[in-house]
Structure formats: structure tokens, C-alpha cells
Amino acid sequence: MPEASAPGSLRPAGPCAIVIFGAAGDLTKRKLLPALYNLKVNGLLPRELAIAGVTRKEKSHEQFRAEQSQDMRDFATQAVDEALWSELRQGLYYQAGEFTDPATYPKLAALLEEVARTHRTGGNVLFYLAVPPSFFAEIAERLGAAGLLREAEGAWRRVIIEKPFGRDLESARELNARIGGVVKESQVYRIDHYLGKETVQNLLVFRFANGLFEPIWNRRYIDHVQIKVAETVGVEDRGNYYETAGVLRDMIQTHMFQLLALVAMEPPISFEADAVRDEKVKVLRAIRPMTPGEVLQQAVRGQYGEGRLGDQPVPGYRSEPKVSPISATETYAAVKLFVENWRWAGIPFYLRSGKRLATRDTEIMIQFRQPPLMLFEEAAARQIDPNRLVLHIQPDEGIEIQIKAKRPGPAVALTTVKLDFSYKDFGDTGAATGYERLLHDIMVGDGTLFHRADMVEAAWTVATPILDSWQSLPPRDFPNYPAGSWGPAAADELIQRDGRTWWGSSPSEAAPGLTRS
Ligand code: BG6
């Protein structure tokens, strides 16, 4: 199979070397290598490319290549073309070394000089820290001390880290300061795989390429916004990490705050990375942090107990591997936030996410206000559904608008119909890991879809008071929802107190009626 030419306006990335710290881990085999291969298939990788794995164990380049070939067979998202893979494979290198050992770095420098000569990578290097967060700052500092982050003679050096970016405001500031001590902010790419998802990127297009919605995208026409990330998986074998995180840190402070920022941001002055990020950070800064009293009213936490998923009995969180039998870690959270600016003052944003919920479902629902006067008698007599705009992010990507229509027949009977669009309508959009776009953006130096230091700190400014309150008041009712349910009853009360209900908690709430495209 020949490489395709690059789609749309995307151009192949320029020459570079990619260094992956922690190349023996899951991320490399499940996401990074398959994503690089997919980029190769799409003609988006440079021919002048080398990829160096760094881990503790001694092994030869050839051994590393053989292992990666096996992983590709297991984890590629499409059939692997031998000729294309072998081109990538011959650019694979390996460097053994402890991340904390200063001696690792001169060896890495020597390897990078060698690949710069053999693969003509031009001295451009992307350092991907696919390692536990406790190593981020130290690796960056050691790379800096070894001179590996210096950008000279037009060559670039970039550092990529994965969340969590700290575990509260203070630790995030410290991490940012340490990394900022060795590189410029523009060299740092804090990756968020949610921002690589098609529908998430489509949010910008939806909002800013259509004139239809902008006039009503504000507090005058919108009643409230709901953002939901429901997962059916439990913590799997990530108990160690999850016990230090919980869903507020793992999902809400990161991915979901980004979704909120995309929904609520003002139009940027351009699609330059900083123009977009300037608007996003303003939204995060406009979210009012909760007082301890408000945390009791506006935030609910939960933890799953044993239950059933479909026909399968599943254990409770406290019985999962590497989890404390008296764990107070939350696997579910619902919060009500206010973005206090002119566009959104007084409009609640309800965010909820949980593990082991009834179905896997990520969506954003924007509910509009009711018409000022209900002229239809039948409708006036009962509460009718308002207009809603639903952005489906996964598993099925698409957009749906719910409107009222007359049911055919002699009586004026109202029903809800959907105008909808599904990404499937585009046909096969290609197998992807979600990392393709993000890796390509890093190689071409586009930081739009990445967290900036000030965004991280603004997000922690909102999340930390909730975490602090929870910490000082340990939960007394955990586990408080059975696996396979829609979360704790207190979450329903949180929204019902406002005279509203969760959208899409159960299949029976999906809009009945016709589907029109
Ligand atoms: C990760 C979280 O960032 O996102 C996981 O650490 C979570 O706990 C995952 O399961 C969800 O990602 P996705 O793409 O499956 O929604």
C-alpha cells in the first residue's frame, strides 16, 4: 500500500526525532505507535524520522524493533502494511537508562546525534514523557541540564506530558514552575486525548462556522448546560493511580473542563493557538470557586458498590485490585458550576462523570428556554419538553437538535422530533486512536489543542476547593451506588432541587418521534 497524500490542508510534518520515555508502557503500544503508523498511512509523517524508546531495561535496537513489531500486530487499528511498517521500523532505536540517573542523558544525546546524521532529523526532537507524573519535572530538568532542550540553529525541542498535571493548585504551580525553569511555555505540550476526538474538534466548527447558533448562544436563550461522561468500565488494573486521583481529578478537572471551555468560550480573534487558549482560560477563570457551604449544595460524590453490568455481576470499587478496602476515593461526581461573565451569568453548567455506570456515553446537552407563551392548549396543560441541542461525543459521534412538531392527524398534538447528523454519514472516517491529530500538531508546532500552564492552574483553582472540602469531610455513605446504575440518589437531588432533571440518564428519556436528517 503506498502512502496516501496528506488530506485537506494538513501537510506532512517536518524532519524530527521522537524520544519516548517509558516506551515499554501501555501508552506506547496501544496509542502512540499505532497513531504514528496511521499518520504514516495518511502521508503525514516525514521521511526523515527516528523514534527512540527509553526505559530501564538493557536491550538492543533490534530487540526493541522486534517488540514493537509484535505490539503493532496486537494493537494497530488497521491492517498493517509490511512495507510501510518496515520504513517506520528501521527508524526505531533504543536507549536503556534510569530516568533519574544523570548518566542516561549524555547517552541519549549521543544517540540523538547519531540519528540526526543517519535520518537527517535536523536536530528537531520531541520528548514524550509517557511516564508516571512523579517523573515529569525531574526528566525535564535532567534533559535541560544535559543541554537537550536548547533550541539552536533553527532546530526545535518540545516536551510532551500527559495528565495529571499536578494533583491540586499548589502542586500544579510547582510542576509548571519546574518545567518552566528549563523550557519556554511554547515548547511544552500538555496532552488531553479528549481534545483529539472528532466531535470535540467539531465543536469549534459548529460554533464558529455557523451563523445560526451564535445569536442564541447565551443566557437569554439557554436555560442550562449538561456535560456527561459516563463510563461502564471500572478502574481495571489502575487502582494504584486511581486511589490518588478520583473522578474529579481524573475526568472533571481535565477533560470535562475543556469541554465546558469549548462550549462557553467567546469567539477567538483567530485560530492561532494562543488566541483560542486565551479565550478558554478566560472561561475557566470566570468559574466561581465554591465555598465549603456551596460544595455541600453543588457537588455530589459517589463510589460504586457491587452490582451488575448486563448479565454480569461486577465487584464494588473497594474490592478492585490495588484499592483500599476502606477507600474514600470518589468514582462518581456531579457538580453545578457557574461561569460568571456577561454571556453566562446565572446559567448553571451541570457536569457529571462516573465509572461503572449503566452505559458508556459522553455528551453535551444544551437546553433552551421555553417559548415565552404557550399557545397550544394541549401543551399548555402539561409540561412540554424544551428545545435541546445534543452533541454526542461517544460512542456514536453526532449532533442532534430536538424541536417540536405537530403529530399528523386532525388534532393539534405536539411531539418532539430530532434533526440529526451522525458522523457515520461521512462513511468510513478511518481507524484512529485519537492521538493522530495531537501527535501531528506537536510535530508541526500547533499548540491549539493542548493545555497551557495558566489553563491548568485556572482549572485547579476551581477543583481544589471541592477536593479540600471532601478531604476534610470524609464520605460516610460509600459505596453509595451499585455498579450498572446511574449513580447516587444525591446526584438526582442536586439537579432536581433546581426543577431540572439529568438528560439521557436512561434510554427511555431519548426523544421519541421521527428522525429527520
Ligand atoms: C482517561 C482517564 O484520561 O480517560 C480514564 O484517566 C478514563 O480513567 C479515560 O477511563 C476515558 O477516555 P475515553 O476516551 O474512553 O472516554
Side-chain angles (χ1 to χ4, degrees):
M1 175 170 63
E3 265 176 63
S5 50
S9 59
L10 287 188
R11 57 194 157 96
C16 68
I18 301 176
V19 175
I20 306 176
F21 283 87
D26 255 20
L27 185 69
T28 307
K29 62 180 176 219
R30 287 180 189 276
K31 304 285 184 193
L32 302 184
L33 252 280
L36 286 168
Y37 175 78
N38 291 343
L39 285 173
K40 173 105 188 134
V41 171
N42 284 318
L44 290 168
L45 284 190
R47 296 209 174 270
E48 304 81 6
L49 176 75
I51 302 167
V54 185
T55 61
R56 226 171 284 149
K57 253 175 133 179
E58 285 296 334
K59 65 182 92 158
S60 65
H61 300 313
E62 210 35 60
Q63 267 173 307
F64 182 62
R65 290 176 190 140
E67 283 171 11
Q68 300 308 314
S69 300
Q70 182 56 48
D71 288 342
M72 275 301 285
R73 278 192 278 280
D74 296 341
F75 297 106
T77 58
Q78 57 177 310
V80 179
D81 177 84
E82 281 310 319
L84 283 184
W85 169 244
S86 98
E87 269 181 48
L88 261 188
R89 185 187 195 277
Q90 56 149 342
L92 292 177
Y93 292 84
Y94 184 75
Q95 177 62 59
E98 295 281 349
F99 308 146
T100 52
D101 180 1
T104 302
Y105 297 82
K107 287 191 235 161
L108 181 59
L111 175 64
L112 286 171
E113 274 175 32
E114 182 195 326
V115 303
R117 276 193 305 274
T118 31
H119 293 271
R120 300 189 312 281
T121 56
N124 300 319
V125 189
L126 181 166
F127 296 97
Y128 202 121
L129 311 193
V131 297
S134 53
F135 289 111
F136 290 164
E138 177 157 9
I139 295 177
E141 286 171 345
R142 293 198 183 282
L143 285 169
L148 285 167
L149 297 177
R150 208 172 307 122
E151 298 190 312
E153 294 159 22
W156 52 256
R157 301 286 158 120
R158 295 176 188 145
V159 176
I160 294 100
I161 57 176
E162 289 263 344
K163 69 161 230 298
F165 315 120
R167 50 174 288 106
D168 54 20
L169 181 57
E170 198 185 323
S171 55
R173 279 188 178 141
E174 189 199 321
L175 178 64
N176 284 340
R178 286 181 67 186
I179 293 181
V182 285
V183 274
K184 295 191 295 280
E185 178 59 27
S186 58
Q187 291 173 267
V188 187
Y189 290 75
R190 295 176 192 79
I191 217 165
D192 182 326
H193 80 281
Y194 261 64
L195 299 178
K197 291 183 192 287
E198 272 295 339
T199 330
V200 175
Q201 293 173 41
N202 193 31
L203 242 163
L204 287 174
V205 177
F206 180 82
R207 285 200 55 201
F208 303 124
N210 293 300
L212 184 59
F213 301 105
E214 176 53 25
I216 55 169
W217 207 258
N218 58 52
R219 61 192 301 281
R220 276 190 295 283
Y221 298 95
I222 290 177
D223 177 76
H224 76 279
V225 176
Q226 293 187 24
I227 304 178
K228 168 178 69 169
V229 180
E231 296 191 276
T232 49
V233 290
V235 283
E236 302 174 298
D237 58 355
R238 299 163 72 223
N240 267 347
Y241 153 72
Y242 205 81
E243 280 284 88
T244 66
V247 73
L248 199 85
R249 290 188 174 92
D250 187 49
M251 297 298 294
I252 296 184
Q253 185 269 348
T254 51
H255 308 316
M256 296 181 73
F257 278 14
Q258 288 296 311
L259 298 181
L260 185 156
L262 287 168
V263 171
M265 68 191 266
E266 295 300 314
I269 54 168
S270 74
F271 279 112
E272 293 287 306
D274 277 334
V276 173
R277 297 190 294 185
D278 286 347
E279 296 307 332
K280 284 168 80 175
V281 78
K282 280 192 215 160
V283 172
L284 296 173
R285 288 204 189 115
I287 302 176
R288 178 160 42 87
M290 293 181 205
T291 62
E294 285 167 339
V295 172
L296 294 174
Q297 292 294 310
Q298 292 175 213
V300 164
R301 60 189 149 161
Q303 186 191 77
Y304 62 87
E306 59 181 4
R308 297 187 83 77
L309 268 179
D311 300 340
Q312 293 297 316
V314 290
Y317 176 70
R318 289 175 176 180
S319 311
E320 302 276 20
K322 301 177 205 150
V323 169
S324 156
I326 52 162
S327 173
T329 303
E330 84 286 353
T331 60
Y332 176 101
V335 293
K336 175 165 85 164
L337 302 171
F338 290 96
V339 178
E340 300 215 315
N341 61 18
W342 272 51
R343 189 185 284 268
W344 297 111
I347 302 305
F349 285 71
Y350 299 95
L351 275 52
R352 63 181 167 145
S353 179
K355 296 225 178 261
R356 284 278 189 244
L357 296 183
T359 54
R360 175 169 184 251
D361 196 8
T362 298
E363 58 193 18
I364 300 171
M365 190 280 286
I366 291 144
Q367 183 161 315
F368 292 89
R369 292 186 190 278
Q370 296 279 19
L373 189 63
M374 194 48 74
L375 298 173
F376 301 97
E377 270 174 31
E378 183 230 28
R382 60 189 176 92
Q383 185 66 15
I384 65 154
D385 274 348
N387 296 132
R388 295 190 180 98
L389 167 68
V390 188
L391 303 155
H392 297 283
I393 293 169
Q394 59 190 24
D396 298 317
E397 302 184 297
I399 295 175
E400 160 187 340
I401 297 175
Q402 298 187 356
I403 57 167
K404 292 282 144 316
K406 177 183 168 300
R407 205 181 269 285
V412 179
L414 303 193
T415 187
T416 300
V417 296
K418 294 193 275 182
L419 309 176
D420 67 3
F421 155 75
S422 164
Y423 259 71
K424 288 191 199 126
D425 299 347
F426 278 128
D428 184 11
T429 46
T433 62
Y435 274 71
E436 289 78 1
R437 168 71 195 267
L438 298 172
L439 285 171
H440 182 263
D441 280 358
I442 301 167
M443 286 189 260
V444 300
D446 181 350
T448 313
L449 296 178
F450 298 84
H451 294 236
R452 212 169 53 184
D454 55 352
M455 287 161 67
V456 172
E457 291 178 20
W460 280 120
T461 303
V462 177
T464 305
I466 305 175
L467 291 165
D468 287 349
S469 283
W470 284 354
Q471 170 96 28
S472 64
L473 209 66
R476 277 176 304 198
D477 59 348
F478 277 10
N480 59 357
Y481 70 98
S485 72
W486 272 108
D492 282 340
E493 288 153 23
L494 180 148
I495 194 163
Q496 282 164 6
R497 275 199 296 275
D498 297 343
R500 303 184 174 102
T501 51
W502 292 119
W503 159 253
S505 289
S506 70
S508 62
E509 286 183 34
L514 306 170
T515 295
R516 305 224 173 103
S517 332

